[in-house]
Amino acid sequence: MIASFSAERDLAKRALDTARKRGASYADVRFVRRDEENALVKNGRLESADRADSFGFGVRAIADGAWGFAASQIVTADEADRVAALAVEIAKASALTKMRDAALAPVEAKTATFTTSVDVDPFAMTVDDRLGLLIAAEAKLRERKGLRTTRAAYSIWREDKLFLSTEGADIQQRLSEVGGGIAAEAVGDGELQIRTYPDGLRYQNSGGWEVLTKWDLVGNAPRVADEALALLKAKPCPQDIRTNVILAGNQLSLQCHESCGHPIELDRALGSEAAFAGTSFLTPDKLGTFRYGSEQVNIRIDATSPGGLGTFGFDDEGVPASEGWAVKAGLFVGYLMSRETAAALGKRSNGTMRADGWQRVPIIRMTNVSVMPGTAGTLDDLIADTDDGILMDTNRSWSIDDKRFNFQFGTEIGWEIKKGKRGDMVRNPTYTGITPEFWGSCDAVCSESEWVMWGTPNCGKGQPGQGAHTGHGAAPARFRDVKVGVIK
């Protein structure tokens, strides 16, 4: 059930009135209540179980053509007045150094509610029931002898938000997420090897407890443990060669996040977000004309995708969730935009402004930026269609420059592909590339049956730093003539 914000709505209206009286030409107020719990079972014991909650409100205001923001966890009428007045005061001070007036693309002010679809509410379960899954999965890992560390973790997360603006918006939302996974670590012969499932202990989707139980952590634990041990004896990844690479869906999702999701953030492309996260090689002069990848590459921006960490009803500017394209048949065609950055291009916002809680100002964040399925069939079909190459699965490391142009990734595990068959396991597989060349070498993407909505629940951006939850659907895909084995 969505939270009641009746008292907070009155305070929000009061704050908006105060902001207007102090000289704001625009203002909005967000009340945010967040609850989360994280648990970790390690080597047969409960290592940690943390429960946290926060509640407060933030006010954004435009005055004299500049932005101001202030926030508080004290929820009273006097504090609503003080915070609103402070936001306007900061805006007027900021106006002394502004380069141009802040202008917002238009949006229809909505009165609406949105709630994530949840089958099994994890907050309504007992702690024993939640921990029971971790204990059973971690115990299954430990049945294999020789592992140094075994872990199982879950995260449950819920956020209730109320948004009001001087333009008349009144929007209430409840967003819910669940994540987790298992990990096995093996040490020997100078090697530390790890296998995780389903995706580096950071798998997370929007929804209820069903998000985690569908992956059958207990049933997959023996395979994960066996692979961690086998990696100690596996042959090293070939060094400094060029070959065909098939990326598993979970690895392709992070490849998309780093080399497409970030460079299509319009604040980075315009240079207003640069110090911490960097800028972008996808400058506005390339929009609609730049060849980002091959015709097999279709990357969608979609805040309505079921299960995505970037799925919601409205962003933190009151803009409805939308669907569109970042890359269509290999051509760069769309940015992630706020109302202000969209106005700079003469466009409307596609609803990507989100804040990490009540105490942070909204900034452009990825919603669900997904590589759409192709026609290559299953992963087995794609392997059968590949004469020579390496299959790489599950990210282990990454590095990418501040314009998102040159990158290097390492994965947990790889397998040689010889004459259409999966061959020997290889350890420490890595690959490197230049973003448009790499995506330009993509010649096959598996079909919808292999497509999974993955997620990144810890994307960092902004100063002060903000974490964000972003979604990335992907299926396995093949890339030709990739440089492999760049770490010795």
Side-chain angles (χ1 to χ4, degrees):
M1 179 182 294
I2 198 165
S4 171
F5 275 118
S6 57
E8 289 80 7
R9 181 171 282 102
D10 290 339
L11 294 177
K13 292 177 180 176
R14 182 184 181 113
L16 294 177
D17 286 342
T18 299
R20 286 193 196 93
K21 291 174 182 174
R22 294 296 184 116
S25 57
Y26 170 86
D28 57 43
V29 181
R30 288 180 302 110
F31 279 84
V32 181
R33 177 180 290 114
R34 179 181 292 180
D35 299 282
E36 58 185 317
E37 180 180 289
N38 299 282
L40 172 66
V41 173
K42 179 180 177 183
N43 292 343
R45 54 178 287 184
L46 179 61
E47 180 78 3
S48 63
D50 303 318
R51 187 78 177 261
D53 62 81
S54 69
F55 180 54
F57 70 102
V59 178
R60 288 195 317 170
I62 297 177
D64 295 343
W67 283 104
F69 175 76
S72 176
Q73 59 184 342
I74 301 171
V75 183
T76 64
D78 288 345
E79 189 70 351
D81 289 340
R82 187 192 70 82
V83 170
L86 179 59
V88 174
E89 183 181 349
I90 292 171
K92 290 181 176 179
S94 299
L96 299 175
T97 59
K98 69 182 179 183
M99 298 181 69
R100 65 188 69 84
D101 283 350
L104 301 180
V107 62
E108 183 181 354
K110 294 278 191 178
T111 297
T113 61
F114 175 86
T115 305
T116 300
S117 177
V118 170
D119 291 339
V120 180
D121 181 1
F123 289 94
M125 298 169 60
T126 67
V127 174
D128 287 345
D129 285 343
R130 290 194 294 271
L131 287 176
L133 176 60
L134 301 191
I135 292 169
E138 193 274 341
K140 206 68 176 175
L141 289 172
R142 281 187 290 111
E143 289 181 0
R144 297 292 192 268
K145 304 304 178 187
L147 295 172
R148 186 186 74 167
T149 307
T150 52
R151 290 178 288 167
Y154 75 70
S155 176
I156 60 176
W157 184 94
R158 182 176 64 200
E159 193 171 79
D160 290 289
K161 301 196 287 189
L162 174 68
F163 174 89
L164 270 72
S165 76
T166 52
E167 295 174 335
D170 185 334
I171 298 165
Q172 201 168 329
Q173 301 186 85
R174 166 167 283 191
L175 308 179
S176 302
E177 299 174 5
V178 170
I182 55 176
E185 290 180 6
V187 176
D189 299 329
E191 288 286 330
L192 166 62
Q193 294 295 335
I194 183 170
R195 278 297 282 147
T196 63
Y197 176 82
D199 186 21
L201 285 183
R202 67 180 182 189
Y203 171 78
Q204 197 155 312
N205 261 200
S206 64
W209 191 246
E210 68 279 1
V211 166
L212 198 54
T213 56
K214 73 179 182 182
W215 287 96
D216 188 13
L217 301 184
V218 176
N220 280 279
R223 175 186 59 80
V224 170
D226 289 342
E227 289 179 352
L229 292 166
L231 279 166
L232 294 177
K233 303 296 183 183
K235 64 174 68 173
C237 178
Q239 299 293 300
D240 293 329
I241 65 167
R242 300 192 77 92
T243 188
N244 304 311
V245 168
I246 295 177
L247 298 183
N250 55 10
Q251 175 61 26
L252 188 67
S253 73
L254 187 64
Q255 179 76 51
C256 176
H257 174 96
E258 301 292 353
S259 65
C260 181
H262 278 305
I264 63 169
E265 294 166 338
L266 187 52
D267 52 350
R268 298 173 65 125
L270 294 176
S272 56
E273 165 64 32
F276 181 71
T279 57
S280 172
F281 74 95
L282 289 175
T283 47
D285 58 298
K286 295 182 173 67
L287 184 63
T289 61
F290 183 74
R291 173 58 61 181
Y292 176 88
S294 72
E295 292 192 354
Q296 305 297 322
V297 178
N298 292 286
I299 300 178
R300 192 162 176 77
I301 303 169
D302 186 355
T304 70
S305 298
L309 295 182
T311 299
F312 46 77
F314 298 82
D315 76 352
D316 286 340
E317 288 191 310
V319 178
S322 67
E323 306 171 52
W325 294 96
V327 177
K328 184 71 172 173
L331 198 66
F332 166 50
V333 296
Y335 280 114
L336 297 158
M337 298 179 288
S338 64
R339 293 183 66 185
E340 185 175 12
T341 57
L345 296 187
K347 297 180 178 293
R348 285 179 174 256
S349 170
N350 51 0
T352 70
M353 287 285 272
R354 292 191 286 163
D356 184 10
W358 52 268
Q359 70 276 44
R360 294 286 183 259
V361 65
I363 56 178
I364 292 177
R365 305 313 306 256
M366 291 173 236
T367 55
N368 303 307
V369 179
S370 301
V371 183
M372 301 311 290
T375 59
T378 66
L379 174 59
D380 288 342
D381 293 335
L382 186 57
I383 291 172
D385 185 54
T386 305
D387 287 336
D388 186 70
I390 299 177
L391 166 63
M392 299 189 186
D393 193 329
T394 313
N395 187 263
R396 186 172 180 178
S397 65
W398 69 92
S399 175
I400 190 166
D401 69 43
D402 62 355
K403 289 184 181 295
R404 303 285 153 167
F405 202 61
N406 296 279
F407 62 80
Q408 176 178 303
F409 286 87
T411 65
E412 293 179 0
I413 194 168
W415 290 270
E416 290 180 336
I417 300 172
K418 299 291 185 185
K419 297 181 179 179
K421 295 185 182 301
R422 188 187 301 211
D424 292 340
M425 179 184 294
V426 297
R427 70 185 187 214
N428 304 327
T430 59
Y431 65 97
T432 187
I434 297 172
T435 296
E437 292 180 3
F438 181 77
W439 287 101
S441 73
C442 179
D443 75 336
V445 182
C446 285
S447 302
E448 190 165 0
S449 62
E450 298 284 313
W451 195 85
V452 173
M453 177 58 77
W454 303 97
T456 298
N458 55 356
C459 175
K461 183 180 175 183
Q463 288 181 311
Q466 297 191 41
H469 300 187
T470 67
H472 306 286
R478 182 175 61 200
F479 298 81
R480 298 290 193 183
D481 195 31
V482 177
K483 189 173 183 180
V484 164
V486 292
I487 298 176
K488 294 184 178 179

